[in-house]
């Protein structure tokens, strides 16, 4: 039984790793209800709904804050974005922290674990358990509302376990939080095997689902957990459980705990297939739930402004991530919006990442210190919806050839401006996602309700002497490409050299994510011509249609150098993976996907390259220039458990390689 009249937060460093129970601190300032004797207590937290709902907010407060580099563990930690190495604290690091970039640079270690939220996740789990135990004591709540709250924190408990599992692999499962007065041996818990971890998370999500609301009653509750969010997370968790990194991974065979238990159980092919089939069904169910509640792809029908087709497609692609939800319409594609993301940090990220367009170029926002490696620009499809290497029209083409902008590409590239062949004849997602030298950047305007000509849209000029060239060691460009996709078109620079940001709830799961997971699971469970093949093509092609490229069959049969590639399971796997990398670029998915697919080593060995950004003439600027080498070994699939934790609790055996 939890002790009474105490301040309630027990860090995992105490609850799981040490026998010390005196170091108990408050959950946070949300729980500051003080009784007559001046001591906060469980009783005062749950004596009225008005105080209990603050405790519910505390349970939510442990959610990860995706969408900004300082707190998103999948953004600056991989190979999709590259930071300006050496920027100093007084200028940019304090405004947008770059600590997590040390993971991308290979500096992770057990003695200094970057992105270490191991403790805070277990703190969040404990808070969820406390609410479940005490919410029925609240007198002025209906049973229906109490059941809803219990379901919400049950979901959160599942999510916090999943967040731990993605990073550390097999973890200690917390069925019930340990009493505060547990003895030393009790708190020295063991890690559970990876299958038990996934099964427990899926069990919690199933338990939560029936009692969640299908939709939020009002926009005031935007971000609270609903049935479609729960179904969508279950689909993602099930897909991860089926993926090669977790599903009978032979590389994990040597991870054995102090009791001799194997933490990555080995499996037969039929057992692995069963995981994919389960995931396929979970994805199908999640899509049906989303469809029944009106979720839909954000397409050009949502663009009411008098734009031409080119602008409509690129704006729709950007808005699918950055436009806010509202009851009258807005963005109906985002299933799970993370309202915990710090809006101030997001606004500062927008200021410091993008080029300062328009007349105001010499100010804070001109730092533009995040770049996109050339390999990511090369990854996007051609206008035929194919990888460059598979498009017949690109055979023998020198992608670094200097080419001038023309009328055909006038809404993408500045006419008569010299850039390279790589930037021409690409899919609309390339232009919606990337800013580059000579490219067009739609946004930062005061009036969008008009017919636009190419000359009305801002240009990006990165070569020395251009408006967005390097002005010193503390400015970009870093690689020559910018992550445009995450910058809302509504964000603007103003005449007094200030920035007006348009912030948005970070999309944890969009409908396209579910479509792609479903297609992936179908292919892994049945191949591309199994019983669910119609759904596989239906959802892949829906995404491609919105992106303005041909369907899978048309693209490969009519334009590729390997017309039958999509007909095999291996070929379709590659197509789905690439589709996912392009569609969800910069949305903190690539980092995790490359790992769960076990494709990270092949991608990382390509290295980080950019252009020679101090060049002024096109022939000097457009030189592929080495920036950094990335190493990726077996140990890099998972975070190391901090050495200090293992010293206190030897039962937490260290991950392989650390």
């Amino acid at each position: 039984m939890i002790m009474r009249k105490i301040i309630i937060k027990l860090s995992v460093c105490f609850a799981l790793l040490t026998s010390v129970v005196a170091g108990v601190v408050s959950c946070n300032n949300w729980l500051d209800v003080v009784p007559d004797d001046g001591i906060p207590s469980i009783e005062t937290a749950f004596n009225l709904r008005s105080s209990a709902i603050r405790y519910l907010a505390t349970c939510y407060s442990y959610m990860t804050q995706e969408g900004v580099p300082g707190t998103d563990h999948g953004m600056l930690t991989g190979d999709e974005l590259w930071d300006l190495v050496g920027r100093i604290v007084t200028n940019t690091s304090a405004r947008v922290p770059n600590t997590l970039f040390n993971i991308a640079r290979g500096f992770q270690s057990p003695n200094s674990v970057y992105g270490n939220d191991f403790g805070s996740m277990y703190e969040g789990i404990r808070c969820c358990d406390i609410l479940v135990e005490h919410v029925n004591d609240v007198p002025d709540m209906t049973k229906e509302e109490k059941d809803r709250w219990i379901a919400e924190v049950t979901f959160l408990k599942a999510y916090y376990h999943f967040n731990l599992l993605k990073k550390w692999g097999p973890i200690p499962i917390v069925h019930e939080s340990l009493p505060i007065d547990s003895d030393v041996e009790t708190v020295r818990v063991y890690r559970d095997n990876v299958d038990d971890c996934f099964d427990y998370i899926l069990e919690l999500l199933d338990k939560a689902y029936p009692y969640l609301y299908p939709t939020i009653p009002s926009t005031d509750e935007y971000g609270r957990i609903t049935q479609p969010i729960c179904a969508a997370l279950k689909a993602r968790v099930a897909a991860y459980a089926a993926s090669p990194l977790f599903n009978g991974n032979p590389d994990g065979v040597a991870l054995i705990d102090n009791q001799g238990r194997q933490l990555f159980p080995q499996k037969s092919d039929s057992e692995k297939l069963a995981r994919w089939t389960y995931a396929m069904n979970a994805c199908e169910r999640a899509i049906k739930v989303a469809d029944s509640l009106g979720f839909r792809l954000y397409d050009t029908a949502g663009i009411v402004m008098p734009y031409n087709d080119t602008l409509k497609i690129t704006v729709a692609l950007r808005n699918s991530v950055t436009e806010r939800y509202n009851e009258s319409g807005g963005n109906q594609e985002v299933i799970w919006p993370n309202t915990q993301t710090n809006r101030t940090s997001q606004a500062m990220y927008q200021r410091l990442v993008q080029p300062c367009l328009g007349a105001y170029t010499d100010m804070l926002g001109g730092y533009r210190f995040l770049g996109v490696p050339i390999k990511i620009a090369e990854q996007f499809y051609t206008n035929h919806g194919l990888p460059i290497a598979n498009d017949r029209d690109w055979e023998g083409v020198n992608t670094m050839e200097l080419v001038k902008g023309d009328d055909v590409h006038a809404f993408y590239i500045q006419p008569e401006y010299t850039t390279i062949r790589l930037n021409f004849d690409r899919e609309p997602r390339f232009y919606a996602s990337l800013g580059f030298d000579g490219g067009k950047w739609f946004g930062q305007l005061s009036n969008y309700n008009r017919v636009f000509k190419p000359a009305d849209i801002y240009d990006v000029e990165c070569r020395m002497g251009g408006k967005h060239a390097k002005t010193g060691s503390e400015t970009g460009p870093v690689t020559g490409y910018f992550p445009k996709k995450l910058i809302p078109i509504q964000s603007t620079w103003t005449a007094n050299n200030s920035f007006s940001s348009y912030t948005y709830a970070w999309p944890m799961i969009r409908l396209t994510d579910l479509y792609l997971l479903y297609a992936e699971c179908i292919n892994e469970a049945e191949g591309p011509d199994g019983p669910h093949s119609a759904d596989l093509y239906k959802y892949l092609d829906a995404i491609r249609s919105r992106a303005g490229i041909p369907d899978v069959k048309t693209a490969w049969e009519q334009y590729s150098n390997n017309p039958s590639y999509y007909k095999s399971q291996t070929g379709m796997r590659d197509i789905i993976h690439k589709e996912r990398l392009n569609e969800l670029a910069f949305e903190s998915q690539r980092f995790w996907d490359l790992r769960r697919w076990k494709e990270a080593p092949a991608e990382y060995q390509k290295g980080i390259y950019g252009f020679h950004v101090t060049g002024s003439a096109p022939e000097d600027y457009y030189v592929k220039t080495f920036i950094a080498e990335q190493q990726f070994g077996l140990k890099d699939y998972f975070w190391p458990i901090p050495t200090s934790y293992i010293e206190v609790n030897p039962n937490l055996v260290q991950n392989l390689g650390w």
Side-chain angles (χ1 to χ4, degrees):
M1 184 68 179
I2 297 178
M3 296 171 62
R4 308 176 89 184
K5 290 194 174 180
I6 59 173
I7 304 175
I8 311 292
K9 180 180 179 185
L10 188 59
S11 165
V12 72
C13 296
F14 297 101
L16 293 179
L17 305 174
T18 80
S19 61
V20 180
V21 295
V24 185
V25 296
S26 169
C27 271
N28 63 20
N29 292 332
W30 290 81
L31 182 57
D32 59 1
V33 182
V34 181
D36 293 339
D37 60 7
I39 303 176
S41 67
I42 284 293
E43 288 83 353
T44 56
F46 294 98
N47 63 357
L48 290 172
R49 182 187 185 281
S50 58
S51 55
I53 198 168
R54 292 158 67 185
Y55 198 92
L56 176 64
T58 298
C59 295
Y60 272 91
S61 70
Y62 290 93
M63 279 185 59
T64 52
Q65 294 189 24
E66 276 87 344
V68 289
T71 54
D72 190 326
H73 294 174
M75 183 174 275
L76 275 185
T77 48
D79 66 336
E80 194 170 36
L81 296 172
W82 205 253
D83 206 341
L84 184 64
V85 175
R87 56 186 173 95
I88 57 178
V89 172
T90 52
N91 280 345
T92 60
S93 295
R95 297 184 177 99
V96 182
N98 61 349
T99 305
L100 291 173
F101 183 46
N102 287 322
I103 296 177
R105 299 175 70 191
F107 297 160
Q108 185 72 284
S109 80
N111 296 319
S112 179
V113 178
Y114 297 106
N116 179 19
D117 58 359
F118 196 92
S120 65
M121 289 297 99
Y122 281 109
E123 291 166 9
I125 290 168
R126 173 170 286 275
C127 282
C128 292
D129 284 344
I130 289 172
L131 186 140
V132 169
E133 183 177 352
H134 291 279
V135 71
N136 285 319
D137 298 336
V138 183
D140 55 339
M141 288 178 64
T142 65
K143 184 179 185 303
E144 179 187 352
E145 188 172 34
K146 291 175 182 178
D147 288 344
R148 179 195 180 193
W149 286 20
I150 290 172
E152 288 180 68
V153 299
T154 300
F155 171 95
L156 292 173
K157 185 173 179 179
Y159 173 67
Y160 297 148
H161 275 90
F162 181 51
N163 191 47
L164 289 162
L165 180 56
K166 285 197 305 180
K167 294 172 186 170
W168 281 279
I171 55 168
I173 295 173
V174 178
H175 294 277
E176 294 180 1
S177 291
L178 296 173
I180 197 170
D181 54 355
S182 299
D183 60 34
V184 174
E185 291 307 315
T186 300
V187 299
R188 285 181 174 169
V189 295
Y190 289 86
R191 301 170 71 177
D192 290 276
N193 78 56
V194 70
D195 285 334
D196 288 346
C197 292
F198 275 112
D199 289 342
Y200 180 63
I201 294 167
L202 293 166
E203 176 188 334
L204 289 177
L205 295 173
D206 284 341
K207 184 178 179 181
Y209 181 87
Y211 301 100
L212 295 167
Y213 284 9
T215 60
I216 55 171
S218 70
T219 53
D220 293 339
E221 295 189 359
Y222 190 52
R224 286 181 65 174
I225 303 305
T226 59
Q227 286 184 340
I229 293 173
C230 187
L233 181 62
K234 180 181 177 180
R236 177 178 287 177
V237 171
Y240 271 63
S243 298
L245 181 62
F246 300 104
N247 193 9
N249 181 5
D251 292 333
V253 69
L255 187 60
I256 299 173
D257 71 8
N258 296 341
Q259 298 175 314
R261 298 182 308 164
Q262 197 169 56
L263 298 184
F264 280 91
Q266 300 302 289
K267 297 180 180 179
S268 65
D269 289 343
S270 62
E271 288 173 322
K272 293 178 184 178
L273 184 62
R275 279 288 191 189
W276 282 115
T277 302
Y278 181 93
M280 178 184 70
N281 293 331
C283 290
E284 182 180 27
R285 172 62 179 162
I287 291 171
K288 287 182 178 178
V289 170
D291 285 348
S292 71
L293 294 169
F295 288 94
R296 61 182 184 273
L297 296 188
Y298 191 115
D299 58 22
T300 54
I303 309 296
V304 297
M305 304 303 187
Y307 304 157
N308 66 13
D309 289 344
T310 298
L311 276 183
K312 279 189 175 183
I313 292 174
T314 54
V315 169
L317 289 167
R318 291 172 65 184
N319 283 1
S320 68
V321 175
T322 64
E323 184 166 309
R324 300 170 187 156
Y325 162 85
N326 62 69
E327 291 176 319
S328 61
N331 193 350
Q332 302 290 335
E333 182 170 328
V334 177
I335 295 173
W336 185 9
N338 188 349
T339 57
Q340 300 293 324
T341 294
N342 186 296
R343 299 299 180 87
T344 302
S345 297
Q346 187 186 83
M348 189 58 67
Y349 165 76
Q350 292 180 27
R351 292 181 67 175
L352 297 176
V353 170
Q354 65 176 317
C356 180
L357 305 179
Y360 316 108
T361 58
D362 188 17
M363 66 171 96
L364 179 64
Y367 278 118
R368 53 208 178 274
F369 56 72
L370 285 190
V372 179
I374 288 178
K375 70 175 182 178
I376 304 299
E378 293 172 333
Q379 165 193 288
F380 282 95
Y381 291 154
T382 68
N383 57 355
H384 292 147
L386 294 166
I388 290 175
N390 296 111
D391 192 318
R392 289 200 307 266
D393 288 357
W394 285 72
E395 291 180 349
V397 169
N398 175 13
T399 58
M400 299 293 284
E401 176 190 5
L402 298 179
V403 182
K404 286 188 176 182
D406 54 30
D407 291 340
V408 174
H409 297 84
F411 280 93
Y412 292 145
I413 298 171
Q414 183 180 346
E416 297 304 314
Y417 191 93
T418 300
T419 179
I420 54 173
R421 181 75 179 87
L422 181 66
N423 296 332
F424 288 80
D425 299 320
R426 307 299 300 278
E427 63 164 316
R429 285 182 298 201
F430 175 89
Y431 302 104
S433 300
L434 298 173
F436 54 89
D437 179 53
K440 292 287 185 176
W441 192 304
F442 185 70
Q444 301 184 194
L445 301 166
S446 58
N447 177 19
Y448 290 92
N449 190 19
R450 58 192 174 97
V451 177
F452 283 93
K453 299 177 181 178
D456 299 325
I457 303 172
Y458 290 122
D459 304 315
V460 178
E461 298 177 0
C462 297
R463 302 200 297 267
M464 294 302 289
K467 292 178 292 187
H468 310 111
K470 288 184 72 66
T471 57
S473 61
E474 284 291 302
T475 65
V478 178
T479 63
Y481 286 102
F482 301 100
K484 181 202 297 184
K485 177 181 178 179
L486 303 183
I487 310 300
I489 64 172
Q490 298 92 334
S491 295
T492 58
W493 296 100
T494 58
N496 63 352
N497 280 6
S498 65
F499 184 73
S500 175
S501 64
Y502 175 96
T503 56
Y504 54 94
W506 181 255
M508 298 284 280
I509 300 179
R510 289 195 288 130
L511 191 58
T512 51
D513 194 344
L514 283 186
Y515 286 1
L516 290 163
L517 286 176
Y518 186 32
E520 178 184 346
C521 293
I522 291 172
N523 185 59
E524 297 299 336
E526 303 176 349
D529 57 356
H532 289 80
S533 62
D535 276 353
L536 186 157
Y537 289 105
K538 171 185 174 181
Y539 291 112
L540 269 185
D541 291 340
I543 293 171
R544 293 169 68 92
S545 176
R546 194 267 297 274
I549 56 177
D551 62 80
V552 172
K553 292 182 179 180
T554 299
W556 285 89
E557 289 181 355
Q558 295 188 16
Y559 302 108
S560 83
N561 53 19
N562 189 356
S564 62
Y565 189 60
Y566 72 93
K567 296 180 180 179
S568 70
Q569 185 182 49
T570 300
M572 182 57 76
R573 178 184 298 129
D574 183 46
I575 289 168
I576 293 170
H577 288 189
K578 285 186 169 63
E579 192 74 48
R580 190 170 172 85
L581 295 176
N582 290 344
E583 174 64 25
L584 302 177
F586 315 129
E587 295 182 51
S588 308
Q589 296 303 315
R590 177 186 174 91
F591 178 86
W592 306 108
D593 282 340
L594 290 181
R595 282 159 173 73
R596 71 181 178 90
W597 296 330
K598 297 182 71 175
E599 293 178 2
E603 284 297 313
Y604 277 49
Q605 72 178 7
K606 295 176 182 178
I608 303 299
Y609 286 83
F611 298 124
H612 184 229
V613 294
T614 57
S616 54
E619 57 269 25
D620 296 327
Y621 178 89
Y622 287 110
V623 176
K624 191 171 183 178
T625 303
F626 175 77
I627 294 176
E629 181 181 16
Q630 284 189 294
Q631 301 289 337
F632 193 96
L634 179 62
K635 67 182 179 64
D636 296 305
Y637 279 111
F638 296 108
W639 261 248
I641 297 175
T643 300
S644 59
Y645 291 9
I646 294 178
E647 288 174 345
V648 174
N649 180 8
N651 293 335
L652 292 176
V653 294
Q654 183 59 277
N655 277 326
L656 298 176
W658 296 106

